Amino acid sequence: MIQTTSFSDLGISGAILEAIEVLGFETPSAIQEQAIPVALGGADIVGLSHTGSGKTLAFAIPALECIDPDVNGVQVLTLCPTRELAVQICREVDKLALFLDGVSAVPIYGGASFKPQLDALNRGVQFVVGTPGRVMDLMESGALQLDNLRMLILDEADEMLDMGFLEDIEHIADAMPDERQTLFFSATMSPEINRLVGRFMDDPVQINIERPTLTVPTIEQIYYEVIFSSRIEALSRLLDTGKIKKGLVFANTKKVVDDIVDGLTARGYGVDRLHGDMPQIMRERVMESFRRGNLRMLVATDIAARGLDVDDVDSVVNFELPRDPEDYVHRIGRTARAGRKGKAVTFVGRRDFALLSRIERFIGVKLTEEPVLTASQVEQLRTESLVDEVLEKLNPDSQLPEELKEVEASPESLAVALFNLLREKTHREVQPIPEDRPMKTRRVRIDGNTEKGSHQKGDSWTPKGDTVTLFMNGGRMIGLRPKDIAGLFYNSVEMEKGAVGDIRIFGKHSLIEVDANVAPQLLEALATATICGYEVNVREDKGGMGSEPGSYRSSRHGGFRNGGRREHGQGERRGGRGDRRGGGRKDFGGERPRRKRY
Ligand code: AMP
């Protein structure tokens, strides 16, 4: 491709070029260079690009170009996940429209009064940027008319889907004129995104601006949700079972490096450390020992690991998430060298999900969650690997030692005794950790407003009738706690104590079991609510999105779930969005969002 060096080469009209000059942008970024001419040519686009790539201008310029200032009415609609982003996009659009008479962008989002947004729409704006929930509200109330729509833009589509807006987006796109152009931007791809693309786009041009060198495809990237004090044990289990053979462990501080080395040494593993302030001679000695295979693990900070070059590291362990996504890339690049396969294992705490998400967006890959190995899995895997070792030693020519021939025992009992001996020699007692009780951290029972702790089988939440499981956007990533959800629910609708049952909080969404009798009122009341600063998007759970690897799903209420579904009909929104009326969203969340836009 010919390198374009100027915005004027991209087919942009004079008024916008002038604004770009005023803004001081000299050369188009890669996504702008590739997307703008294609979009100006009228094609649909799927742009895979991260925040910071300049994608806002890449869609805002063609969007402004397609607006006919003489036509009153919305001609461009941009959907984006958050209020902050909607406002930011509008700011950029307004700057670009500096020399376009009477063209400006209006943000519409939940959690704010309808009045100013309605006024703006009534004035006849041409460019609307909104969050899906509020856009649906205004469409259904008739305030937002899309008959004149020429372009639909989805920005940060993956994030919108993570927040549970798939159905809303489909609903909005369904209501639009077929003769429109669709531009679609996302940092990552997923089957849901492919579904949207297949359904709503016409032979789109795919533009991929991911940084191809960020991660290596041969690195399997997984994470474990595990509290800090359990991490030495979780790591030991990976070592015991051979899931990690030779690894580099990264921590953020020298203190944690020392703690890891002490913890692993006490458990009998061959490990050493690299500190940034170690004399060079010591560093080299340790690295040489690691290279030769005398050490199984080397523990280091990011700075200390500079210049470390070892080819046969099968795993990199992020004992703590690095604060800078670039450090994550540098860390995991130490495995899968020289064409080998490699694994990146990351330990994540409850409060780390925003940072994890930032890293995922930076690398354009979602890490896979795995549950921490349980004691019985460790036993099982250890036995399997011992059996493998024994099988490797099998040799039809080998002779039984004379001493054993004299032993009066069956070959089978001899084999059992030898196997047990081998197992004892390599045995390490598994230490119990809270993660061994998955329900404790993943599933919390709520009675009234009181957090009761972990769910025990046979606990006494006995709803009077059927129950329904509700899906709600937002989970651990925005710092949501069961009591926030319980508070929101109980404050939204008058209902009896006990009407809210199990609350399960996942990374990005939550599942809440409620008495079927109150579900319709809840759906209606929550349609205009916010929690932790986010627009609430709640609907009946259809099961598909409800499970996450390693999450606990109740079977106790299986019958209720079906019962509830029959009662309400799948996907039906009784008293739902169509009934929404004015008023801002109620926010009962206890914490402000920790999650920022990246
Ligand atoms: P975005 O990825 O759209 O959020 O843009 C990231 C930042 O880059 C914003 O602050 C833009 O103002 C800036 N930006 C966008 N395009 C350019 C460009 N061609 N040259 C310099 N900065 C840009």
Side-chain angles (χ1 to χ4, degrees):
M1 186 183 208
I2 301 160
Q3 186 67 36
T4 309
T5 51
S6 158
F7 279 103
S8 56
D9 297 327
L10 303 181
I12 303 168
S13 64
I16 296 177
L17 280 177
E18 249 181 90
I20 292 172
E21 208 179 320
V22 172
L23 287 170
F25 298 146
E26 288 170 357
T27 48
S29 68
I31 185 80
Q32 292 161 2
E33 190 182 321
Q34 293 185 44
I36 292 172
V38 174
L40 289 176
D44 284 357
I45 290 179
V46 176
L48 276 181
S49 67
H50 48 91
T51 303
S53 59
K55 65 186 162 52
T56 313
L57 255 67
F59 64 73
I61 292 172
L64 283 171
E65 295 282 9
C66 88
I67 287 177
D68 180 346
D70 297 329
V71 174
N72 236 352
V74 180
Q75 295 170 53
V76 174
L77 173 65
T78 302
L79 295 176
C80 65
T82 63
R83 160 196 192 138
E84 292 76 19
L85 185 52
V87 170
Q88 191 179 319
I89 292 171
C90 285
R91 265 195 218 122
E92 294 224 26
V93 170
D94 288 347
K95 284 188 216 154
L96 283 171
L98 195 64
F99 301 109
L100 297 173
D101 255 0
V103 177
S104 66
V106 168
I108 59 176
Y109 44 80
S113 163
F114 278 79
K115 177 84 170 52
Q117 299 179 7
L118 285 171
D119 290 347
L121 290 176
N122 290 335
R123 279 199 302 273
V125 291
Q126 291 121 336
F127 200 131
V128 167
V129 184
T131 52
R134 182 56 65 96
V135 166
M136 277 236 324
D137 288 343
L138 292 170
M139 273 170 63
E140 291 186 357
S141 71
L144 177 59
Q145 307 262 347
L146 298 172
D147 316 331
N148 291 313
L149 196 93
R150 294 174 174 210
M151 187 180 280
L152 170 67
I153 298 157
L154 282 95
D155 191 19
E156 304 207 348
D158 48 353
E159 182 133 354
M160 285 195 280
L161 297 193
D162 281 351
M163 292 169 74
F165 282 128
L166 177 65
E167 279 185 16
D168 287 1
I169 293 170
E170 288 181 329
H171 190 94
I172 295 166
D174 268 336
M176 289 186 178
D178 287 338
E179 288 300 306
R180 57 141 209 272
Q181 195 177 352
T182 307
L183 311 184
F184 192 106
F185 291 87
S186 182
T188 54
M189 280 307 269
S190 68
E192 286 85 21
I193 291 181
N194 275 327
R195 174 174 137 191
L196 275 181
V197 169
R199 221 178 124 186
F200 295 109
M201 298 185 77
D202 184 19
D203 198 14
V205 175
Q206 181 153 337
I207 298 173
N208 188 353
I209 310 290
E210 284 306 314
R211 289 168 242 191
T213 51
L214 277 184
T215 52
V216 190
T218 49
I219 301 180
E220 182 192 355
Q221 298 180 63
I222 52 182
Y223 76 88
Y224 295 93
E225 189 188 337
V226 56
I227 59 172
F228 198 82
S229 59
S230 299
R231 292 182 186 177
I232 294 280
E233 175 60 28
L235 179 53
S236 303
R237 292 182 189 184
L238 294 170
L239 289 164
D240 291 345
T241 52
K243 286 198 170 249
I244 294 179
K245 292 186 177 66
K246 182 171 181 177
L248 260 177
V249 184
F250 282 96
N252 295 343
T253 62
K254 280 196 284 183
K255 162 90 175 66
V256 177
V257 166
D258 287 340
D259 290 347
I260 299 168
V261 172
D262 293 348
L264 291 177
T265 308
R267 286 160 192 246
Y269 304 104
V271 323
D272 211 335
R273 79 206 77 199
L274 276 184
H275 273 173
D277 50 10
M278 254 159 87
Q280 189 57 24
I281 182 104
M282 286 272 288
R283 284 173 59 88
E284 272 163 22
R285 208 173 287 157
V286 173
M287 288 202 270
E288 190 51 28
S289 195
F290 186 55
R291 254 185 225 113
R292 284 171 181 272
N294 301 336
L295 297 172
R296 221 175 141 188
M297 305 292 281
L298 194 53
V299 190
T301 56
D302 295 284
I303 296 169
R306 271 185 202 154
L308 177 67
D309 194 13
V310 182
D311 268 350
D312 59 349
V313 170
D314 64 77
S315 302
V316 165
V317 178
N318 295 300
F319 199 84
E320 301 175 282
L321 266 182
R323 290 179 201 108
D324 182 347
E326 283 197 27
D327 282 337
Y328 177 86
V329 177
H330 290 144
R331 286 179 180 187
I332 74 166
R334 302 295 165 82
T335 184
R337 293 270 179 106
R340 293 185 175 90
K341 281 192 174 170
K343 195 188 286 179
V345 171
T346 300
F347 292 144
V348 179
R350 266 174 170 250
R351 294 178 183 278
D352 292 335
F353 281 91
L355 184 52
L356 177 65
S357 171
R358 207 166 102 207
I359 290 170
E360 287 178 334
R361 296 172 71 69
F362 183 74
I363 61 176
V365 171
K366 296 239 180 223
L367 274 59
T368 311
E369 182 178 8
E370 281 193 10
V372 175
L373 290 173
T374 61
S376 60
Q377 283 171 328
V378 171
E379 265 325 297
Q380 173 76 28
L381 289 168
R382 216 187 246 162
T383 305
E384 279 172 19
S385 77
L386 284 179
V387 169
D388 284 345
E389 280 182 48
V390 171
L391 290 178
E392 273 171 32
K393 292 274 178 213
L394 272 188
N395 177 356
D397 300 330
S398 53
Q399 297 288 320
L400 205 60
E402 287 305 318
E403 293 80 354
L404 274 182
K405 282 182 188 163
E406 288 163 17
V407 173
E408 281 183 24
S410 67
E412 194 180 317
S413 51
L414 251 185
V416 171
L418 288 170
F419 191 78
N420 285 343
L421 189 67
L422 186 62
R423 186 154 45 189
E424 277 160 28
K425 285 214 182 265
T426 56
H427 185 71
R428 182 189 69 87
E429 199 68 52
V430 167
Q431 308 286 312
I433 48 176
E435 286 73 12
D436 294 334
R437 287 165 287 150
M439 285 180 283
K440 175 129 192 166
T441 51
R442 297 186 181 282
R443 188 159 194 252
V444 183
R445 233 190 104 237
I446 296 290
D447 235 345
N449 282 336
T450 320
E451 193 171 331
K452 279 272 188 79
S454 66
H455 164 79
Q456 299 294 324
K457 223 182 164 80
D459 266 354
S460 60
W461 182 58
T462 38
K464 293 179 181 62
D466 286 337
T467 68
V468 178
T469 302
L470 300 183
F471 168 100
M472 195 179 93
N473 60 323
R476 291 190 302 264
M477 251 165 84
I478 59 166
L480 218 51
R481 298 159 305 177
K483 65 179 177 191
D484 298 329
I485 297 179
L488 171 67
F489 278 42
Y490 280 103
N491 283 309
S492 296
V493 167
E494 212 165 291
M495 54 189 170
E496 280 181 34
K497 197 175 165 198
V500 178
D502 293 326
I503 295 179
R504 279 164 283 168
I505 299 187
F506 298 85
K508 293 165 181 166
H509 71 276
S510 305
L511 293 178
I512 307 102
E513 213 159 5
V514 299
D515 190 323
N517 293 321
V518 295
Q521 293 102 291
L522 271 171
L523 285 174
E524 183 178 356
L526 293 170
T528 53
T530 61
I531 191 163
C532 294
Y534 284 85
E535 227 175 276
V536 166
N537 178 32
V538 65
R539 60 169 181 271
E540 199 176 326
D541 176 47
K542 290 184 181 161
M545 300 175 75
S547 58
E548 266 183 13
S551 71
Y552 177 78
R553 179 165 277 282
S554 164
S555 57
R556 185 166 63 100
H557 294 307
F560 295 147
R561 293 168 62 80
N562 291 339
R565 202 164 285 160
R566 265 199 307 279
E567 183 135 297
H568 294 293
Q570 180 137 334
E572 186 187 343
R573 292 169 194 264
R574 274 228 212 139
R577 305 214 174 250
D579 295 347
R580 292 180 187 185
R581 286 285 176 269
R585 286 174 176 258
K586 306 174 209 81
D587 191 337
F588 296 96
E591 293 182 28
R592 304 313 307 159
R594 274 195 285 276
R595 189 169 184 192
K596 292 202 223 87
R597 197 174 99 70
Y598 314 118

